[in-house]
Amino acid sequence: MTDFIGSVWWMIVSLGLLVTFHEFGHYWVGRLCGVKVLRFSVGFGRPLWSRRDRHGTEFAIAAIPLGGYVKFLDEREVEVHPHERGQAFNHKTVWQRIAIVAAGPIANLLLCILLLWAMFVIGKQDYSATVGRATGMAATAGLGSGDRLLRVDGRDVITLGEASMALTAAAMDRRDVTLQVLDPADQLRSRTLPLSQLPAGFDERRVPILAGVYWRAWLQPPLVDTIVKGSAAEGHLQTGDLIVAIDGQRIDSVEQAISEVGSLGRRGGPAMIEVLRGGERLALEITPRQGKDGKGQPTWQIGAGFAESYSPAYDTLLKFGPLQSVTVAVRETGRMAADSLAMMGRIVTGKASLQNVSGPVTIARVANISAKRGVDWFIQFLALLSLSLCIINLLPIPILDGGHLLYYLIELVKGSPLSERAVAAGQYIGLALLAGLMGLAFYNDILGLVPR
């Protein structure tokens, strides 16, 4: 229940802030061009709060927080007094109308840069793209524990998220990638990961795992949290021990430790378990015993328990001075925009699944998770969402800003506005496309809530 309330709250905060900036772009440029503004609304539906300024503009906060709008004086919508015709939107030049419509997406773009600048000045804590364990094709390619990815196909990567995104994009394109890694001995190595060999219909959300790459931040270290009384571990292991090897096999995670204990139990006999205790490495002989797991299924155990929840420590800090952060923020905005457009292209061409289209439920969940992680993560989320609103609104779909810009570009070419009939037909097409897109987004949101 707490997560639900938090998700709803942070979604309202996020969309409210970004929509306000977007609509203010339209409002500000409209006023500069001499257009009378009738209403500035954040949200749709019945107003929960409203007031008018001295210019007659009504500012409102409405009940449905999934968008907003600026209503200009326009002869096509309301009756205009002769002395106000000069302030009507439809009486402005085509270039003025283009500027007014484009101002909303541009405001979101500038907000994205501003937010990223603030994030880099404050400092963004993150996880490095360091391999914790390599299996399958990753192990065959020569990747190993402790390898840190520096470049993926010539593209610099610093964080786990950047590396995962680059690997996922390459997998969708069905191509192999060349990796530049720094191994634990600080030696630069080059590795080729054959992502083109992934099976058809692979889960696009699990590309690193499917390729055999388990990031170090994902792996819970096998730190002993409890000792079961009367178990094989009693009298040998202690709480606080870090298991580093079992029968000579290096152990990096709880998952590995449990798997290796099972293998030893099936083999039979005692095992040498090496632990770090107080800075000293100890070798202890323990014989696994058969017991039952939480589901009542038979399993091999030594009686050592690990913490049920695990929060990995950040090992990377992205922080720059105020001036340098401007350049970094602009460059990061360009990278994010290129990634977003490339993903849209993959969806259209069928290289990427339609499940990548998300809606308000996913936005709410991610907003809540980001807010819990800290101010730096929430600012990054807002920046990405602001950029997404910019790109989506510039799509050439009637009813969106991009659709109106398309109308005005056609007007520039033909020398006269489109007919009302053509504009109305375009609006119906736009509504149908938008309804279909929203339906798909809601479907994917609901599908994401169903346990797999």
Side-chain angles (χ1 to χ4, degrees):
M1 188 63 180
T2 303
D3 280 341
F4 173 77
I5 295 173
S7 297
V8 172
W9 166 250
W10 288 114
M11 182 189 72
I12 292 174
V13 170
S14 302
L15 292 182
L17 174 64
L18 302 184
V19 167
T20 300
F21 258 81
H22 179 95
E23 300 305 335
F24 180 77
H26 293 310
Y27 168 83
W28 184 59
V29 176
R31 289 293 303 273
L32 285 178
C33 292
V35 180
K36 182 175 181 179
V37 182
L38 301 180
R39 175 179 285 179
F40 183 116
S41 177
V42 177
F44 298 112
R46 182 179 179 181
L48 301 175
W49 172 91
S50 68
R51 60 165 294 182
R52 291 186 183 274
D53 67 2
R54 59 188 179 88
H55 301 290
T57 302
E58 179 188 8
F59 293 87
I61 298 176
I64 305 174
L66 295 178
Y69 62 93
V70 173
K71 184 176 181 180
F72 295 111
L73 184 68
D74 195 315
E75 285 184 317
R76 296 166 299 182
E77 298 177 2
V78 297
E79 185 177 349
V80 177
H81 292 100
H83 71 276
E84 288 187 321
R85 282 179 181 169
Q87 300 179 63
F89 180 82
N90 62 296
H91 275 272
K92 297 302 176 181
T93 68
V94 65
W95 285 110
Q96 286 177 314
R97 282 177 276 142
I98 287 175
I100 293 169
V101 171
I106 290 173
N108 281 130
L109 178 65
L110 295 176
L111 178 60
C112 174
I113 296 173
L114 178 62
L115 288 168
L116 290 176
W117 174 84
M119 182 191 75
F120 287 126
V121 170
I122 295 171
K124 167 75 186 313
Q125 296 187 95
D126 215 321
Y127 306 106
S128 66
T130 302
V131 178
R133 183 161 61 94
T135 63
M137 70 168 62
T140 303
L143 286 175
S145 177
D147 284 348
R148 181 167 183 167
L149 275 63
L150 302 179
R151 297 172 73 85
V152 178
D153 268 356
R155 172 175 169 172
D156 292 337
V157 295
I158 299 175
T159 66
L160 180 157
E162 292 174 352
S164 295
M165 180 64 192
L167 294 177
T168 301
M172 290 176 177
D173 293 338
R174 310 300 295 174
R175 59 184 173 83
D176 302 338
V177 291
T178 300
L179 310 176
Q180 187 180 57
V181 303
L182 188 67
D183 68 16
D186 288 335
Q187 297 294 314
L188 286 175
R189 308 288 185 189
S190 181
R191 302 285 185 256
T192 300
L193 200 57
L195 295 175
S196 61
Q197 296 179 14
L198 287 176
F202 62 87
D203 189 341
E204 296 164 359
R205 296 164 297 182
R206 302 179 67 247
V207 168
I209 293 177
L210 295 175
V213 177
Y214 293 79
W215 303 116
R216 185 172 66 187
W218 292 353
L219 304 180
Q220 180 178 348
L223 187 68
V224 177
D225 184 61
T226 57
I227 301 294
V228 178
K229 189 174 181 180
S231 67
E234 188 178 26
H236 299 282
L237 295 179
Q238 297 180 8
T239 57
D241 284 349
L242 178 65
I243 299 175
V244 294
I246 297 179
D247 253 17
Q249 176 69 39
R250 175 175 168 169
I251 301 297
D252 296 303
S253 67
V254 168
E255 179 190 56
Q256 266 186 292
I258 293 173
S259 177
E260 193 62 28
V261 166
S263 298
L264 291 173
R266 290 188 293 272
R267 186 198 68 187
M272 295 302 297
I273 297 182
E274 298 176 53
V275 302
L276 282 179
R277 180 186 299 168
E280 184 179 1
R281 186 167 181 137
L282 305 175
L284 309 168
E285 187 177 85
I286 300 177
T287 302
R289 300 174 186 172
Q290 195 163 38
K292 292 186 177 181
D293 62 17
K295 298 180 180 179
Q297 300 297 315
T299 183
W300 290 97
Q301 304 170 340
I302 59 174
F306 306 102
E308 292 184 4
S309 60
Y310 167 65
S311 298
Y314 296 116
D315 60 1
T316 297
L317 178 64
L318 305 176
K319 184 178 175 67
F320 306 94
L323 290 179
Q324 187 180 5
S325 291
V326 175
T327 303
V328 177
V330 171
R331 186 170 62 242
E332 179 66 7
T333 299
R335 184 192 67 80
M336 288 164 53
D339 286 344
S340 298
L341 291 171
M343 181 61 73
M344 287 183 179
R346 293 186 185 98
I347 292 173
V348 171
T349 58
K351 290 183 177 180
S353 169
L354 290 174
Q355 291 183 358
N356 288 287
V357 179
S358 300
V361 176
T362 298
I363 291 173
R365 293 172 65 188
V366 177
N368 189 43
I369 292 171
S370 301
K372 285 182 176 180
R373 287 185 172 182
V375 174
D376 49 350
W377 282 81
F378 188 62
I379 291 176
Q380 184 184 48
F381 164 75
L382 287 177
L384 179 58
L385 188 57
S386 186
L387 181 62
S388 298
L389 288 177
C390 168
I391 294 173
I392 290 172
N393 272 283
L394 286 176
L395 293 177
I397 298 176
I399 209 172
L400 296 179
D401 292 334
H404 291 290
L405 291 174
L406 179 61
Y407 290 156
Y408 301 146
L409 290 176
I410 294 174
E411 181 179 340
L412 282 174
V413 173
K414 68 189 291 283
S416 62
L418 286 173
S419 67
E420 291 187 9
R421 183 176 179 180
V423 171
Q427 297 296 90
Y428 283 121
I429 294 172
L431 281 170
L433 289 173
L434 200 58
L437 191 62
M438 291 182 65
L440 176 62
F442 274 110
Y443 173 79
N444 287 339
D445 281 349
I446 295 171
L447 197 64
L449 296 175
V450 177
R452 295 172 181 264

